[in-house]
Amino acid sequence: MNKELETNSINMLVENVKKDVESGSLLLNHPLQRKAQQWTARQKGNFVRRILSEQHILPLNICTQRDPITNYEYQYLIDGKQRVTTLNEYIEDGFAISTQTSSSIIRYSGVKYETRERNGKKVLLYKRDKNTKKIIFTPVLDENGCQQYGEFEIDIRGLKFSQLPPELQERIKRYNFPVLIKRNCSDEEIQQEIIDFNSGSAMNKEQMGINLLGTNWAAEVATLSNSSFIKDCCTFTRNDEVKSKIERSIVETLCLIYFEWKNQYDHMCSTLVDRLSKEHINQLNGLFSEMYDIVNGEPEVINYIDRNEFHIVLACFYYFKSLSYNNVVFKRFLKEWVNTLRFEKNIEADDEFISYAEAFGKGKTGTKTVGVVTDKLNEINKALDIYLNAECDDLVEDDYQNEEALENNFISNENLLSNERSTLFQNYYSKFQESNLASFVPEVQEKNLSARCLMMAVQSPFFDFTSEYLEKFTQWFDKNGNIDMSEYCLLYADQLSDILLTLDVNSSRLNINTIPFLLFAVKYFNDVEEDEYLEDWLKLFMTNEMPDEECLDSANITAKTNFVERSIIEYLKSKTA
């Protein structure tokens, strides 16, 4: 070990670290260090959010070496490269905060600026200087012409650095990085530092499983684990949360519903890596939303849904959804199941009959083998069938009547959903009207455009812009959609309009036929977590590749989305080559 080795702990402002990197006094290119740009768009967004929230982060680790000839001290950033390059890139407006960033509401104190409504929330109103392209915010003045001050909050999703209020821009630049500097290191000591800082502590099998899923699916599972249903309508403990057992319950549920149960958790995770799709995630999220309405306010049921019964209850509800009953029926059944039915002795065991609670209740071991899980699900589904036959024949939905009502309620393309009833789609449309994207078409086409854009943003059985299918799609969305789906579509709409307003494009090319496909592109970039390239791709696509308007008719939706997708894939290949 080098006898002259000394260690110092200091703090460095983000803006000063950025200057040191740009000047070359802090080096990011040690041969043993991995390259930059390892983080996904979601990881970048979450890190910037952490800085804006003024939360603690791990120290940067710098090792220095002196040149034996010149005595110049080289400083190598050994750990923290992704943190530093992410902030440097963000300050340079290199990317916008991902729409999938969690906990995206940031509070701050400062000047009150003019705002506008976007997605039901207030956001800062700004204009861009034609010469400098810099964003300018307009302060709100009081009756004496003085600036007003207060405390405010902002949703940072979709915002670049220059679009943040000046107070938050300064908060980033003035954030203090904790820094650990080890001086006069040998090559061997630097190598060991890199090994140490890339070696984590031992993980339990749940945490190892999350790593097996990979970044994208692990993030999707983490998002599901933070749903209102999980937090408010289930009984997971703090230890379950810390030890990633909530995420395990979600993985188990996905396998039980869509694939097959396996005895080993790591085998389940591998199954999801090979077979899971975004549609499965969206469907499970939809089940969560419906279960929230069913279980919320029922303490006995909430107490029952723990990590041992979570996957069984969800799989039973999935089975129930195939039977065309109103959800109120499942609510009644769950209460009966929790309070009485699971205690009924109707399971044959040796020479006696025992109850579900006795066979599979607390204290039982081996409750997650294939055989036991299959038996548990069969028993609760059998109890559901008996309950439905005895209690609920009058509540089954009539598919013929539903189809007839659909035809009777057909609404023309020009008057799409002009009825007054408040629905999930109507709530979405009222917010869409407030978006800048709606301003690109005549007012009479806004409802139609909103439906087309939503169809591009969600997975549904309908993929046609004719008035008949748009009406069927909106009715399907009212029954099967959720607020998250509409909020994501509105975020995509704002992301698209913010870029389009800065482009020099013939306005005739932005219309009801072309805009939905551009929104499809926004969604695609976000889904593959490459949305930092979206603006550049849009510029190229709008000027070079965009098909003529007459080609973008309803009969060619699949062909056009395929065309857009191929264009994006080729573009991203050129960027990552």
Side-chain angles (χ1 to χ4, degrees):
M1 180 67 68
N2 193 324
K3 293 181 180 180
E4 298 183 41
L5 187 67
E6 65 174 277
T7 302
N8 304 111
S9 295
I10 64 172
N11 290 321
M12 294 181 66
L13 296 177
V14 166
E15 59 184 356
N16 289 341
V17 172
K18 184 174 184 293
K19 290 177 183 177
D20 286 351
V21 171
E22 292 170 347
S23 68
S25 61
L26 178 59
L27 301 173
L28 309 184
N29 60 347
H30 191 279
L32 296 177
Q33 179 66 295
R34 64 177 182 170
K35 296 180 180 179
Q37 299 297 331
Q38 298 291 319
W39 282 0
T40 64
R42 182 187 290 111
Q43 288 174 309
K44 290 180 180 180
N46 284 336
F47 180 69
V48 174
R49 180 261 301 155
R50 192 170 182 86
I51 298 297
L52 286 169
S53 300
E54 300 179 297
Q55 294 178 320
H56 175 73
I57 64 170
L58 293 174
L60 306 181
N61 287 273
I62 297 174
C63 288
T64 73
Q65 283 184 315
R66 285 198 178 274
D67 188 297
I69 299 176
T70 64
N71 203 37
Y72 180 81
E73 186 179 52
Y74 291 93
Q75 298 188 88
Y76 292 103
L77 183 63
I78 298 303
D79 185 63
K81 190 173 188 177
Q82 309 308 315
R83 283 163 270 167
V84 168
T85 54
T86 292
L87 287 184
N88 289 356
E89 183 185 5
Y90 187 63
I91 291 173
E92 294 295 331
D93 268 1
F95 65 91
I97 300 297
S98 169
T99 56
Q100 298 178 350
T101 297
S102 59
S103 303
S104 59
I105 304 299
I106 302 297
R107 293 175 175 80
Y108 68 97
S109 300
V111 176
K112 183 177 183 180
Y113 297 100
E114 296 283 354
T115 62
R116 67 179 174 91
E117 288 288 326
R118 186 179 76 177
N119 298 347
K121 300 176 182 177
K122 287 186 178 181
V123 297
L124 297 186
L125 180 66
Y126 63 82
K127 57 184 178 180
R128 198 180 291 270
D129 186 278
K130 291 184 179 180
N131 297 320
T132 65
K133 302 298 183 181
K134 290 184 177 180
I135 284 176
I136 302 172
F137 302 103
T138 305
V140 176
L141 306 180
D142 61 19
E143 62 273 12
N144 298 318
C146 298
Q147 292 184 358
Q148 300 183 53
Y149 298 85
E151 293 187 357
F152 311 99
E153 61 180 31
I154 187 171
D155 188 337
I156 61 173
R157 289 177 297 178
L159 299 184
K160 292 185 175 182
F161 179 81
S162 62
Q163 295 170 318
L164 295 175
E167 292 82 359
L168 291 185
Q169 294 182 22
E170 196 67 13
R171 184 181 293 181
I172 291 178
K173 292 191 293 184
R174 303 295 294 178
Y175 183 88
N176 261 315
F177 271 130
V179 182
L180 186 67
I181 302 178
K182 293 188 175 182
R183 300 190 181 278
N184 299 320
C185 297
S186 65
D187 289 340
E188 292 78 13
E189 288 164 344
I190 290 180
Q191 181 180 19
Q192 191 59 50
E193 289 291 308
I194 293 175
I195 292 173
D196 289 345
F197 283 115
N198 285 278
S199 298
S201 58
M203 296 180 179
N204 62 24
K205 59 185 176 182
E206 285 80 15
Q207 293 164 337
M208 286 295 294
I210 291 298
N211 277 264
L212 287 174
L213 290 177
T215 301
N216 292 341
W217 293 131
E220 295 287 359
V221 170
T223 299
L224 289 172
S225 72
N226 287 313
S227 69
S228 297
F229 172 62
I230 295 284
K231 290 184 175 297
D232 300 335
C233 299
C234 302
T235 305
F236 288 105
T237 66
R238 173 63 178 164
N239 185 65
D240 291 339
E241 180 179 355
V242 172
K243 299 298 185 181
S244 298
K245 294 185 184 295
I246 298 177
E247 287 83 353
R248 174 172 180 159
S249 291
I250 292 171
V251 169
E252 291 171 340
T253 302
L254 286 165
C255 282
L256 186 58
I257 290 178
Y258 300 114
F259 309 115
E260 64 273 338
W261 187 271
K262 295 182 182 293
N263 287 333
Q264 282 76 40
Y265 178 55
D266 57 339
H267 292 177
M268 288 196 227
C269 294
S270 297
T271 296
L272 296 192
V273 171
D274 294 337
R275 301 168 64 183
L276 191 63
S277 72
K278 181 66 175 178
E279 184 176 359
H280 295 127
I281 296 292
N282 290 340
Q283 287 179 358
L284 186 59
N285 190 45
L287 292 179
F288 281 8
S289 296
E290 292 185 66
M291 281 294 291
Y292 178 89
D293 293 334
I294 291 169
V295 177
N296 190 34
E298 302 292 341
E300 298 93 346
V301 177
I302 292 173
N303 188 59
Y304 176 74
I305 305 177
D306 59 12
R307 62 187 175 92
N308 293 315
E309 299 296 333
F310 178 87
H311 51 286
I312 300 296
V313 172
L314 265 294
C316 180
F317 181 55
Y318 182 75
Y319 166 68
F320 169 83
K321 293 295 293 180
S322 69
L323 304 177
S324 300
Y325 285 88
N326 189 291
N327 282 354
V328 69
V329 178
F330 195 74
K331 182 172 186 174
R332 295 176 188 172
F333 166 73
L334 263 186
K335 293 175 69 174
E336 286 290 322
W337 172 257
V338 170
N339 294 317
T340 61
L341 296 179
R342 66 188 175 110
F343 298 108
E344 293 182 356
K345 296 180 181 293
N346 48 25
I347 301 175
E348 187 173 357
D350 298 328
D351 296 329
E352 62 177 343
F353 285 87
I354 61 176
S355 68
Y356 180 99
E358 291 171 323
F360 310 114
K362 291 182 179 180
K364 298 295 182 179
T365 59
T367 56
K368 291 196 174 181
T369 63
V370 172
V372 171
V373 169
T374 301
D375 289 344
K376 290 177 71 174
L377 185 56
N378 286 341
E379 288 301 326
I380 192 173
N381 285 350
K382 183 168 66 176
L384 174 63
D385 288 335
I386 295 172
Y387 179 84
L388 294 177
N389 290 333
E391 304 288 341
C392 305
D393 279 343
D394 58 328
L395 291 176
V396 67
E397 294 178 355
D398 189 324
D399 291 336
Y400 174 78
Q401 289 181 356
N402 284 345
E403 292 179 8
E404 185 178 39
L406 184 63
E407 294 300 321
N408 291 338
N409 289 333
F410 173 77
I411 300 175
S412 68
N413 208 28
E414 291 74 20
N415 297 298
L416 180 67
L417 285 178
S418 59
N419 52 322
E420 296 297 325
R421 61 191 173 89
S422 178
T423 66
L424 185 62
F425 178 82
Q426 287 285 39
N427 291 334
Y428 152 76
Y429 168 59
S430 66
K431 294 179 181 179
F432 185 88
Q433 284 180 293
E434 302 169 0
S435 70
N436 284 331
L437 198 63
S439 66
F440 285 96
V441 299
E443 185 175 353
V444 70
Q445 294 181 346
E446 286 180 358
K447 290 180 180 179
N448 191 284
L449 177 63
S450 71
R452 292 185 181 203
C453 287
L454 188 62
M455 186 181 287
M456 291 289 101
V458 304
Q459 293 279 350
S460 81
F462 305 100
F463 208 54
D464 193 313
F465 286 167
T466 59
S467 57
E468 177 184 3
Y469 276 93
L470 286 173
E471 172 64 13
K472 289 181 178 180
F473 165 72
T474 55
Q475 291 193 2
W476 171 89
F477 183 72
D478 280 336
K479 182 177 180 180
N480 299 283
N482 57 61
I483 293 176
D484 284 347
M485 292 180 183
S486 59
E487 286 296 320
Y488 271 118
C489 183
L490 293 166
L491 281 170
Y492 299 148
D494 278 332
Q495 201 173 355
L496 176 60
S497 62
D498 284 348
I499 296 174
L500 292 179
L501 290 171
T502 67
L503 298 182
D504 184 18
V505 178
N506 186 338
S507 60
S508 65
R509 306 192 78 189
L510 300 174
N511 53 60
I512 194 170
N513 288 325
T514 59
I515 289 173
F517 296 98
L518 298 181
L519 187 132
F520 169 81
V522 175
K523 178 183 183 299
Y524 188 93
F525 271 96
N526 279 278
D527 284 348
V528 298
E529 298 186 348
E530 298 286 2
D531 50 314
E532 61 263 38
Y533 296 118
L534 172 61
E535 184 170 352
D536 184 54
W537 176 85
L538 267 175
K539 291 178 182 177
L540 295 173
F541 186 77
M542 295 287 288
T543 55
N544 298 326
E545 298 184 7
M546 192 169 184
D548 292 336
E549 177 185 338
E550 55 266 25
C551 295
L552 297 176
D553 58 31
S554 61
N556 285 309
I557 291 181
T558 300
K560 298 314 170 192
T561 53
N562 289 341
F563 175 80
V564 171
E565 185 173 335
R566 288 196 303 270
S567 172
I568 296 172
I569 291 172
E570 290 302 316
Y571 169 84
L572 291 176
K573 284 182 179 178
S574 70
K575 286 295 181 180
T576 57

